[in-house]
Amino acid sequence: MGRHDFEPAKLLAGLVLLAAGIAYVLDGLGEVDLPGALPLAMVPPALCLAGLVGAVTYGARRRSARRGAGPGRPGQRP
């Protein structure tokens, strides 16, 4: 299996959605008392932030590729 590019937007979205899921589980078990909409309210800002991070990552990779990154330089896969 080949190497994959690092996708920070997917990492960020996954971590925030995981945190929202854990908050729901802890609230359901009675370990914490959260307002009902708090975990759900975390999701839209997290998706917006992940979109912003994805756009910045895309721009950085595109700029790096435009500079003519050759083999062995950042921005290129072998």
Side-chain angles (χ1 to χ4, degrees):
M1 184 164 146
R3 293 184 60 163
H4 297 280
D5 289 335
F6 175 63
E7 296 287 343
K10 291 179 182 180
L11 176 65
L12 178 67
L15 288 175
V16 172
L17 292 175
L18 181 67
I22 289 172
Y24 267 123
V25 168
L26 290 176
D27 190 36
L29 293 174
E31 296 294 323
V32 266
D33 188 30
L34 298 173
L38 181 65
L40 187 60
M42 291 175 14
V43 174
L47 293 177
C48 290
L49 186 60
L52 179 66
V53 169
V56 169
T57 303
Y58 173 76
R61 287 187 180 156
R62 186 176 171 121
R63 185 175 182 183
S64 176
R66 235 187 294 147
R67 288 187 178 176
R73 292 186 56 192
Q76 290 285 353
R77 279 199 211 165

